[in-house]
Amino acid sequence: MLYPFLLQPFISRQNPILFLLEASSCNTLSKIMQAHSLLLTSGFSLHPFPPSKLLQLLLSLPSSPPLLSYAQRLFHHSPSPPLFSYNSLIKAHSNAFSLHLFRSLLRDPLAPLPNQYTLTFVLAACRPDSGLELGEAEQVRVHAVRRGFETNLFVSNVLIKLYGSWGLAGDAEKVFCECSNRDLFSWNSMIGVYVGSGDVMAARKVFDEMPDRDVVSWSSVIAGYVQTGWFLEAMQLFQKMQLAGVGPNEFTLSTILASCANLVALDQGRWIHAFINKSRLAVNERLLASLIDMYAKCGEIDFALDLFNTADSPKQTVRPWNAILTGLAIHGYSAEATQLFQRMDQSDVVPDKVTFVSLLTACSHGRFVEKGKLYFDMMRRRYTIEPELEHYGCMVDLLGRAGLLQEAEDIISNMPMIPDAATWGSLLSACRIHKDMERGEKIGKLIKELEPKHVGCHVLLANIYSGYGRWNDAKDVRKKIEMAGERKIPGCSSIEVDGMFHQFLVGDRSHPQTQSLYSYLDEMAVKLKISGYVPEVGEVLLDVDVEDKETALSRHSEKLAVAFGLLNTGAGMPIRIVKNLRVCVDCHHAMKLISKVYKREIIVRDRIRFHRFKDGSCSCGDYW
Ligand code: ZN
Ligand code: ZN
């Protein structure tokens, strides 16, 4: 097919200006290629403008490796390319070729002098992922200084980002401080650098000092808080953002939903969902996945499932599927998880490694040993996903919980990577459940050598010893933990009441309601004893009187949080608690009774999964 300018070759061939005008309509690769051939036959290729115009048109098409190599050829055919062509090509490549082109520009005495854009584009190309060395970026910077661009805003901004990408927050800060005419982009970049380096305090300081803030500034600091695990701070800043009248974008909302999920802040999460509906924001797959994740992690798995099934947005990417599968897994909805995977398998969505972690976790909680083995095999054979440490960990957990301790140990011995203490820890935990003292002791010693500072595993070992009444051994392990200067992570449970969060550590006495809380706990202990509660003192470390052990147990953080919930919420209201560690045997036992005696549904999310206590039993079926 011929294009308009080729229909009038006579005119075009006579005048390069006409050629330029007609070539402007070339918006596909084939049209540009036809214009290029006309350029070669007409002799206009010796003219500086037509080739650069074609290059500009070519680079405005969606970038691809063949297109870039064609652009290079076109560039080299130009007799004396203008600076604009150099800049466009440097920007389009943004890799080692950009630096190569920049150097050839410097070497050529007839070439134009680089300007601020050239320097900005070539510096942007010097990221660690483009295979260049930091020293090469420094050379470009030296050149920029020599050419008087040291304090140029564009150059400073790109340097801040560049140093950030190399993990050099200090160097980025230096550029930022020396830049006298910072704009919003400079401030936001500096915040981004600090968030990327994990220093959210520094990011907040910059945020507090900046003259104007946009949605990016607010969202970056909120994301920084969520990354660091400072969820309350993230929520507070989000509230301030609303007061400041800055509307959140999809990224802010996803981030804040993750925060709600972690805090089990269902009311806040629901408010954000309503906000999304009200503001008619398009719920894309990322936002849908965040909503599903929030509802699932706040205990509302049925609602999350409904949301997934009825969502208007297409579920063509793996993200929403993974969110619902993870939710089903942590709730112990194992059969539903495997059914959902079947649906996913029949759709066009290709599972990834996260899908299989969720699926294997679901199998582990549901005691689906054979299915678990099948999926583990399927992920390699059918989807060519090489299992990572996490997948092996799931298999060890699955086999260990089901009492197949030897098989679990074989998995660890045969895995291609070095097992970490957490993998051994999951087997150690299985040894405790299935009372395999000998294996437990062997593994405990192994972990001690592997990771002498892994407190969690040492505590588990001490628990195994105490369970068998071997107090001296238990004390010995404990002493070693103390000597190593490591402290056990304290159990911490939190509960949201009327939009306020209350956190309790084990034996906590810092809450303003402590007095009434502790007398309520004593009252609760009496009520439970009457209903047949016998404390499980086996796991308490110290070799002390049974009565003292009972007291120690009754002060566990989740019991404090439940008592607080009972005291401060209306009759019949469900109580939602999140705990940073696994719920202990005694607390699990007590929660079942509390749910019956006080006629309350108690939902506890521990480090591993959900427990829904109702009418004296738990959704996990005592298998956790
Ligand atoms: Zn407990
Ligand atoms: Zn349970």
Side-chain angles (χ1 to χ4, degrees):
M1 186 185 159
L2 290 170
Y3 294 97
F5 63 92
L6 298 173
L7 288 172
Q8 312 159 358
F10 189 65
I11 307 170
S12 292
R13 274 159 206 263
Q14 280 190 341
N15 188 333
I17 305 297
L18 277 176
F19 174 88
L20 279 175
L21 271 174
E22 288 163 8
S24 302
S25 64
C26 296
N27 52 4
T28 65
L29 184 59
S30 67
K31 284 182 191 175
I32 293 170
M33 284 169 86
Q34 288 191 43
H36 187 197
S37 63
L38 177 67
L39 188 77
L40 294 172
T41 54
S42 63
F44 293 153
S45 56
L46 295 173
H47 196 285
F49 295 119
S52 64
K53 177 68 189 173
L54 280 190
L55 183 70
Q56 186 197 348
L57 289 166
L58 187 64
L59 293 175
S60 66
L61 299 178
S63 178
S64 69
L67 190 125
L68 288 179
S69 77
Y70 181 41
Q72 286 181 29
R73 282 206 308 279
L74 195 60
F75 177 82
H76 290 305
H77 287 157
S78 316
S80 48
L83 184 60
F84 182 77
S85 293
Y86 277 96
N87 287 354
S88 309
L89 210 55
I90 288 174
K91 187 184 179 196
H93 278 76
S94 200
N95 58 20
F97 177 79
S98 308
L99 190 67
H100 166 76
L101 200 60
F102 176 68
R103 284 183 176 148
S104 70
L105 177 70
L106 295 183
R107 273 195 305 268
D108 186 351
L110 297 174
L113 282 173
N115 63 9
Q116 56 175 351
Y117 301 109
T118 327
L119 290 160
T120 308
F121 299 147
V122 74
L123 281 169
C126 295
R127 300 175 318 271
D129 62 350
S130 56
L132 292 167
E133 302 281 327
L134 179 64
E136 291 170 299
E138 292 291 3
Q139 282 174 16
V140 181
R141 188 183 176 183
V142 168
H143 182 85
V145 173
R146 228 183 276 150
R147 299 262 299 114
F149 289 114
E150 195 178 8
T151 52
N152 178 279
L153 181 63
F154 290 103
V155 173
S156 298
N157 281 351
V158 76
L159 276 172
I160 294 169
K161 281 209 141 198
L162 180 72
Y163 284 127
S165 72
W166 282 93
L168 302 166
D171 293 73
E173 191 184 81
K174 205 158 167 273
V175 177
F176 176 76
C177 292
E178 282 166 6
C179 180
S180 53
N181 51 340
R182 298 165 199 155
D183 63 0
L184 188 59
F185 189 83
S186 332
W187 289 92
N188 282 347
S189 299
M190 200 55 233
I191 290 178
V193 169
Y194 283 132
V195 168
S197 70
D199 191 351
V200 71
M201 300 261 275
R204 179 62 196 258
K205 196 166 167 279
V206 174
F207 175 85
D208 287 337
E209 285 167 5
M210 68 195 289
D212 297 302
R213 305 173 185 99
D214 67 354
V215 61
V216 177
S217 338
W218 289 91
S219 306
S220 306
V221 183
I222 291 173
Y225 280 136
V226 172
Q227 262 174 41
T228 321
W230 295 7
F231 303 114
L232 278 176
E233 285 78 1
M235 303 286 260
Q236 284 159 2
L237 194 62
F238 179 65
Q239 277 162 2
K240 277 194 181 163
M241 176 181 180
Q242 286 163 284
L243 289 175
V246 180
N249 61 17
E250 172 239 323
F251 175 75
T252 333
L253 293 166
S254 296
T255 313
I256 210 71
L257 281 169
S259 199
C260 295
N262 274 288
L263 287 169
V264 191
L266 182 61
D267 290 346
Q268 303 252 19
R270 276 191 184 128
W271 185 89
I272 289 170
H273 192 184
F275 175 87
I276 293 169
N277 289 340
K278 216 166 46 191
S279 54
R280 304 238 165 116
L281 262 170
V283 178
N284 59 15
E285 304 218 334
R286 183 198 172 106
L287 211 46
L288 175 66
S290 303
L291 281 167
I292 292 169
D293 184 63
M294 182 278 293
Y295 280 112
K297 288 191 178 148
C298 287
E300 296 293 306
I301 184 64
D302 293 324
F303 192 85
L305 199 56
D306 250 15
L307 193 65
F308 176 81
N309 286 328
T310 56
D312 292 334
S313 63
K315 294 173 282 272
Q316 283 161 349
T317 63
V318 75
R319 221 185 257 254
W321 291 87
N322 283 350
I324 190 66
L325 271 173
T326 308
L328 292 170
I330 56 172
H331 278 272
Y333 280 34
S334 306
E336 288 80 355
T338 57
Q339 281 158 14
L340 195 90
F341 178 70
Q342 231 170 2
R343 257 171 74 193
M344 180 178 182
D345 207 25
Q346 285 156 5
S347 73
D348 290 334
V349 180
V350 182
D352 63 6
K353 53 187 183 187
V354 180
T355 319
F356 282 99
V357 171
S358 306
L359 209 51
L360 292 174
T361 308
C363 289
S364 180
H365 289 160
R367 228 179 200 158
F368 294 170
V369 177
E370 290 313 310
K371 262 200 179 135
K373 287 181 183 170
L374 188 90
Y375 290 138
F376 191 67
D377 195 47
M378 179 196 277
M379 101 183 231
R380 258 188 298 203
R381 280 177 200 270
R382 200 152 113 211
Y383 296 104
T384 59
I385 302 171
E386 252 335 285
E388 293 181 5
L389 189 62
E390 218 176 336
H391 300 102
Y392 282 103
C394 287
M395 284 310 282
V396 171
D397 196 51
L398 166 74
L399 297 166
R401 279 161 188 269
L404 303 165
L405 300 174
Q406 185 57 48
E407 249 186 271
E409 201 179 327
D410 289 346
I411 288 257
I412 301 186
S413 319
N414 295 324
M415 56 200 255
M417 62 286 281
I418 300 167
D420 61 351
T423 314
W424 282 113
S426 120
L427 183 56
L428 185 58
S429 159
C431 292
R432 183 182 64 89
I433 297 169
H434 295 285
K435 306 210 183 321
D436 188 338
M437 175 77 199
E438 208 179 304
R439 200 188 301 268
E441 198 171 5
K442 184 181 86 183
I443 295 165
K445 282 181 180 157
L446 225 152
I447 298 175
K448 242 191 272 176
E449 281 167 30
L450 194 73
E451 273 187 54
K453 290 195 167 182
H454 198 293
V455 183
C457 285
H458 298 162
V459 171
L460 253 176
L461 182 63
N463 278 349
I464 290 180
Y465 283 136
S466 342
Y468 278 86
R470 286 172 57 174
W471 306 114
N472 285 336
D473 288 324
K475 264 188 192 165
D476 204 33
V477 176
R478 217 180 119 122
K479 210 181 276 169
K480 276 184 186 146
I481 298 173
E482 278 165 13
M483 268 164 58
E486 297 292 316
R487 286 186 66 88
K488 183 186 168 191
I489 302 165
C492 175
S493 299
S494 59
I495 179 168
E496 183 197 18
V497 174
D498 296 332
M500 291 282 287
F501 294 94
H502 304 266
Q503 275 189 344
F504 298 95
L505 292 173
V506 54
D508 206 331
R509 286 187 170 273
S510 63
H511 197 278
Q513 285 188 31
T514 293
Q515 231 173 1
S516 53
L517 190 61
Y518 275 76
S519 44
Y520 192 79
L521 268 175
D522 292 338
E523 209 180 284
M524 204 162 87
V526 176
K527 266 195 177 177
L528 292 184
K529 269 209 172 146
I530 295 168
S531 327
Y533 166 69
V534 182
E536 298 259 357
V537 291
E539 284 188 356
V540 181
L541 274 177
L542 299 166
D543 179 21
V544 289
D545 292 341
V546 173
E547 201 178 325
D548 286 349
K549 281 185 192 173
E550 285 183 26
T551 316
L553 280 174
S554 71
R555 288 356 181 193
H556 276 187
S557 66
E558 56 268 57
K559 291 205 187 82
L560 291 175
V562 159
F564 183 82
L566 288 170
L567 257 172
N568 293 284
T569 56
M573 290 275 285
I575 294 172
R576 290 168 210 280
I577 291 165
V578 57
K579 195 191 172 191
N580 62 338
L581 306 173
R582 286 175 93 150
V583 56
C584 83
V585 180
D586 179 69
C587 285
H588 195 270
H589 182 50
M591 294 289 170
K592 288 200 285 186
L593 273 171
I594 297 170
S595 74
K596 193 172 162 187
V597 174
Y598 289 85
K599 296 192 175 53
R600 291 282 195 113
E601 190 177 356
I602 303 165
I603 301 141
V604 179
R605 191 182 84 204
D606 73 5
R607 196 168 56 78
I608 307 283
R609 62 163 295 153
F610 265 93
H611 301 266
R612 192 179 284 270
F613 300 94
K614 206 177 167 184
D615 302 328
S617 60
C618 178
S619 61
C620 75
D622 298 336
Y623 184 72
W624 86 96

